[in-house]
Amino acid sequence: MWTRRAFLRGGALAVLSCGWGGLPSFLARTASAEPIGKTKTLVCLFQRGAMDGLMACQPIGNESLSKLRPQLLLPAQGDTGLLTLDGRFGLHPGLQPLHQHFTEGQLAIVHGIGSPNTTRSHFDAQDYMETGIVDRKGAASGWLNRATGLLGHESTPFQSVAMTESTPKSLYGERPTLSISSLDDFKLKASSKETEDSLEKLYQSATQQALQRRGSEAFEAADILSAKRYQAYKPAHEANYPNSPLGRSLRQIAFLIKSGVGLEIAFAESNGWDTHRGQGKHQGAFARRARDLSESIHAFWTDLGSYQDRVVLMTMTEFGRTVAQNGSGGTDHGRGSCMFVLGGEVNGGKVYGEVGSLTKDSLEDGRDLPVTTDFRRLFAGVAGQHLKIPTGRQLFPRWSGEPMSVLRG
Amino acid sequence: MKWKLVGIIFLMAQIALAELPYAEHGFSKREAAAHMLARFSYGARPGEVDKVARMGLEKWLDRQLRADLPEEELNQKLAILPPAYGMDEKQLLATYPNPNEVRKMLQEKGFTKDDGKPDYKKAKDMLVEAGFRPPRELLLTLFGQRLLHARYSENTLREVLTDFWFNHFNVAASNNRARRYMLGYERDAIRPNALGDFRTLLGATARHPAMLLYLDNANSTANKDQMTTAEMKMGEMSVPPERKKNLQKRFNRRKKGLNENYARELMELHTLGVDGGYTQQDVVEVARAFTGWTILAPRMQKMVEDNRAMGEALGMEQEGGFLFAALTHDAGRKKILGHDFPAGGGVEEGERVLDILTRHPSTAHHIAQKLAVRFISDSPAEADIKEIEKAFRSSNGDIKTVVKALARTDGFWDRKNLNAKVKTPFELVVSASRALEGELYPSFALYGWLAKMGHPLYNYQAPTGFPDKAEFWVSSSTVLNRVNFGLHAARGWVPGFTYPARENSDMYRALDLLLPERHDAKTEQTIKSLMANPENLKLERISKFEARPNLGGRIDGQEIPRMTLTPDQQRAATLVGLIIGTPEFQRR
């Protein structure tokens, strides 16, 4: 049974009064499982806790590095060694599933990337990165919420979705947005239409703002989703998702993309990158996270199949870690890290950005990988090129840098 | 002298009896009592608004601050918990071994499957005989004791603050090593100090193994190029040169280097706040001051015991699970937030850092701000924060004084802040149970519902703790699950949540119980119009509850209480569930 609601909103088609009977042509298309036109989707994956970029993508033959982190250094070759990237850098073996995408030219890596704000607080740095405003705290809107606003066309309640329990800062702001921790649970379990409607009306008129907004968005989206059957979803091409929070998130994002509900901006999280202790080499805390990350992304990409051309996935992390290992086989909070961009349109097979000599005097504050690329350059470049949105101050207020191009065309 | 004392007592009595300024903000006494209970308790129980109004709000608050009301009902309920609840730390460690150690033990003793992995089924008898119990029981106890305290304690304000301080000094069960210490952490370090002295509380967390492991300080040692306390002390002793050389070698091996994790979060989260005026250099220096603050691992107990005299001569200190290892303490000179720490120091350096941090004005501000967010509104006025801050400073962090000041701020009694806070999912569950005179029982299902509503208790991985704001608690996902929880729980579909069944005719009373003094016309009208047609109130369960990992099972030898309802009671229950699901009930 199809929903009683108008599916589209915003733009010129804001009020599509289809009521119970009529189905707008747009819906007729989605109902027949035909992908909507050329809807593009940007998937942002936040690695919380600060990933050690130098371990993910390690400079090869760097003397300073071998002095500063002898216990964290991987050999350039061999079974437990790095995977060849471009001669200058090698990929951590735990990220092996991503390697083929690099050699096939769909994966780009940007190294030495981070924020101009030098805070080494996770929580501040995440806020700065998610709001895209690095010199003022507590900005009201997230950069992905602003990006949603700049799309400038009709939208569905599923235009931006975070696969998280709470709304991430990246999606705070004026534009409606959904947080869905589990598609299976994302439904109202009341019985009669009357009870549902009564509750919905109460939320629509609630005086507390968060309850009013999120409640209204939830009821509307749950109603649409009730016609989609995630429980029966079978990933395509034998894609094998890890049964981890990230694996489940990306599986659900793939489902939403393919079910044509109009998903344009998706957000997922990977936790546990704060490797102060027992970071390890090819085994250990880092390797475990890396495997989960790369296997999840690889499964997602395999599952997408022909949808790859309209999807770009970008990873991000709040900062990097100290170049030197600390006293407990780990690393402490640092500055620059690296980020991955995967997509059919990506000009990949390259490591972008700059990583210097890593000698002590070249490090930021004598300890950290210097930030040579402002993260906003990459975010603006990817979002601008992929989603065809303006990248000026509407996207990143208080910034006038040059977007970085890692996508073709 | 005598007169001075009398004067002080008189002054204290006056402070104690000073009227809370609710009337001047236009509150009736009942309204004010409802507001107090919404903020300072886990939710009003039937008749409680009247009781507090009769007793006087000031007196109620005073008794809550003293937190010495007898706990008959609570103690009776706590008795259902597994024996872990009453165990001291040593017993806990012996009964709930580290899963890695168990794995190793099984492999050594040959309890393995064909693929070499440990076979727990085969080893069950051996494990039981050794006195071991499954680790999940420890987590169920941890969750259970919080749940039962929140639901049944008469000293409800202490419980609200236990939640607040645990979250402030957050430790997460996602950390394998810290997990086994978390029960003791809340029971011994947090709850007894929740209404006490901030410095004592801070010190208790700093020395607790749960914190030492969670924020890695247990693994932070002097850098190789620094002398340690033990080395310095040894220099002053007459030790034969050969022995000295040997010892020196051993000492050097222990110097693995600093770990900044605790030092940073101590200042950023526990005390000064992120803009509290410290630098990266301060982080390093504080980390140096705390080197050697580690845990007494069970396997080291004998070694420490056997060498106690020597250890103490070298500067060691040990108390419970805390160990100050002088062998790894960086005894070099330090400069912390402008204070000079001369070379040669030991365990007292960390304590001095905690003193400095407690007295620092940024800490008073940071704590005041967090309390204001918890008890006044998501964005409290700077003037209110200042009032609370003043009380913190003048009382040197006496939490009772601080809470009293908070209860007197204009913001607390500002009508625009009335019901402005969104309940945490835990508060939602507990307040519903209290209002309905229901029973809560620690079940896997109940924990799972909390997680679905965005509140996986004891499992917020980052040291910030759960952000205490509506924007965090309310998302599209969690709104639906709050509504679903209400409907499920009221119908008896959440094992662990039961309450006396009601008939339809009771419904007006249910509204009164759940939303005392609220009088929200829209909510009342909606409920009443639904009541008019009982057909609307049939409720089918649509999909089964999806369980979460991490916390499982039920308590040995016990059945989880359940409720069954007649069709008439079912319809009444649907209404109860709807009320729990209304936006109005999400607020406090």
Side-chain angles (χ1 to χ4, degrees), chain B residues 20 34 106 200 345 347 362 374 488 498:
Chain B
L20 291 166
L106 295 201
T200 311
V347 68
S362 295
R374 178 73 178 73
H488 273 65
T498 54

Side-chain angles (χ1 to χ4, degrees), chain A residues 240-248 291-297 299:
Chain A
N240 187 14
Y241 289 94
N243 185 22
S244 66
L246 180 61
R248 289 193 290 272
R291 272 196 291 274
D292 179 56
L293 178 80
S294 59
E295 284 167 12
S296 299
I297 293 175

Side-chain angles (χ1 to χ4, degrees), chain A residues 121 123-124 137 165-166 179 181 185 187 189 191-192 195 203 205 207 271 276-277 326-328 367, chain B residues 177 216 256-261 268 274-275 280 451-452 472 475-477 484 522 536 538 548 581 587:
Chain A
S121 150
F123 322 105
D124 274 7
K137 232 194 249 190
E165 246 132 25
S166 301
S179 293
S181 55
D185 285 340
K187 54 182 80 129
K189 293 174 185 180
S191 52
S192 64
T195 46
Y203 274 92
S205 62
T207 45
N271 286 313
H276 282 282
R277 197 188 138 261
N326 67 11
S328 31
R367 51 180 265 156
Chain B
R177 303 197 305 161
D216 299 313
K256 302 216 189 287
L258 292 182
N259 187 311
E260 297 171 3
N261 204 9
E268 175 179 334
V274 68
D275 299 315
Q280 171 59 34
K452 278 151 81 90
F472 175 80
S475 77
S476 38
S477 219
N484 288 333
K522 271 179 291 191
N536 290 339
K538 275 191 192 151
R548 290 243 172 185
R587 306 166 65 198

Side-chain angles (χ1 to χ4, degrees), chain B residues 139 142 146 162-186 189-190 204-206 208-216 262 269-270 447 456-466:
Chain B
L139 287 175
L142 182 61
R146 172 78 69 87
T162 297
D163 179 82
F164 173 83
W165 291 120
F166 189 102
N167 199 52
H168 181 77
F169 294 106
N170 187 40
V171 164
S174 56
N175 185 307
N176 268 332
R177 303 197 305 161
R179 196 185 297 154
R180 294 191 299 159
Y181 293 96
M182 284 171 64
L183 180 62
Y185 182 66
E186 174 158 325
I190 305 285
T205 63
H208 203 280
M211 181 61 79
L212 289 163
L213 292 169
Y214 175 63
L215 288 179
D216 299 313
Y262 177 67
L269 302 174
H270 301 169
Y447 184 88
L457 226 51
Y458 300 109
N459 241 325
Y460 194 85
Q461 201 175 0
T464 38
F466 293 98

Side-chain angles (χ1 to χ4, degrees), chain A residues 87-105:
Chain A
R88 296 180 303 149
F89 296 95
L91 193 67
H92 187 278
L95 297 169
Q96 189 270 333
L98 294 182
H99 190 236
Q100 92 183 68
H101 303 297
F102 185 88
T103 48
E104 285 168 7

Side-chain angles (χ1 to χ4, degrees), chain B residues 201-466:
Chain B
L201 173 63
L202 178 67
T205 63
R207 281 175 173 242
H208 203 280
M211 181 61 79
L212 289 163
L213 292 169
Y214 175 63
L215 288 179
D216 299 313
N217 202 76
N219 291 82
S220 185
T221 79
N223 282 327
K224 287 232 178 316
D225 54 1
Q226 293 288 350
M227 285 277 271
T228 62
T229 310
E231 284 169 305
M232 284 198 179
K233 299 238 170 174
M234 195 177 63
E236 298 158 10
M237 294 177 194
S238 54
V239 182
E242 197 48 33
R243 173 136 170 79
K244 213 172 203 172
K245 226 170 107 189
N246 273 336
L247 280 172
Q248 190 61 53
K249 252 193 219 153
R250 274 173 53 193
F251 289 175
N252 284 342
R253 272 207 306 273
R254 297 288 304 276
K255 292 191 215 170
K256 302 216 189 287
L258 292 182
N259 187 311
E260 297 171 3
N261 204 9
Y262 177 67
R264 179 184 305 282
E265 308 306 5
L266 169 66
M267 291 191 282
E268 175 179 334
L269 302 174
H270 301 169
T271 58
L272 303 178
V274 68
D275 299 315
Y278 60 93
T279 63
Q280 171 59 34
Q281 191 54 32
D282 286 318
V283 172
V284 172
E285 298 286 288
V286 169
R288 291 179 62 210
F290 279 101
T291 46
W293 284 49
T294 187
I295 65 157
L296 178 67
R299 64 189 152 75
M300 282 166 57
Q301 264 160 19
K302 192 170 154 25
M303 207 258 286
V304 166
E305 218 36 70
D306 292 349
N307 300 292
R308 182 172 292 278
M310 178 64 173
E312 282 176 356
L314 292 177
M316 180 196 86
E317 190 185 307
Q318 181 257 318
E319 195 199 347
F322 171 77
L323 176 71
F324 174 71
L327 291 179
T328 60
H329 180 74
D330 179 341
R333 187 176 167 187
K334 307 168 186 79
K335 192 154 188 150
I336 296 171
L337 296 162
H339 299 262
D340 193 43
F341 284 61
V347 68
E348 75 288 350
E349 288 192 342
E351 296 294 340
R352 189 173 159 215
V353 170
L354 299 180
D355 290 339
I356 291 168
L357 292 174
T358 301
R359 280 196 308 267
H360 198 291
S362 295
T363 298
H365 182 81
H366 182 218
I367 301 296
Q369 194 267 344
K370 276 193 86 168
L371 282 165
V373 167
R374 178 73 178 73
F375 292 103
I376 296 178
S377 83
D378 284 0
S379 35
E382 201 51 41
D384 296 327
I385 298 173
K386 282 267 166 322
E387 285 299 313
I388 305 165
E389 187 180 333
K390 226 162 62 192
F392 188 100
R393 291 176 68 170
S394 66
S395 70
N396 280 322
D398 174 57
I399 298 166
K400 288 187 179 73
T401 309
V402 174
V403 173
K404 254 188 220 167
L406 191 154
R408 305 189 58 83
T409 55
D410 287 337
F412 188 82
W413 296 107
D414 187 336
R415 290 198 78 93
K416 82 175 187 324
N417 290 333
L418 192 58
N419 306 317
K421 287 293 292 183
V422 169
K423 289 176 184 170
T424 69
F426 185 67
E427 288 168 343
L428 170 71
V429 170
V430 177
S431 64
S433 176
R434 284 167 70 98
L436 295 167
E437 297 186 283
E439 304 280 349
L440 289 178
Y441 177 95
S443 73
F444 181 23
L446 208 45
Y447 184 88
W449 271 103
L450 285 171
K452 278 151 81 90
M453 293 189 278
H455 202 177
L457 226 51
Y458 300 109
N459 241 325
Y460 194 85
Q461 201 175 0
T464 38
F466 293 98

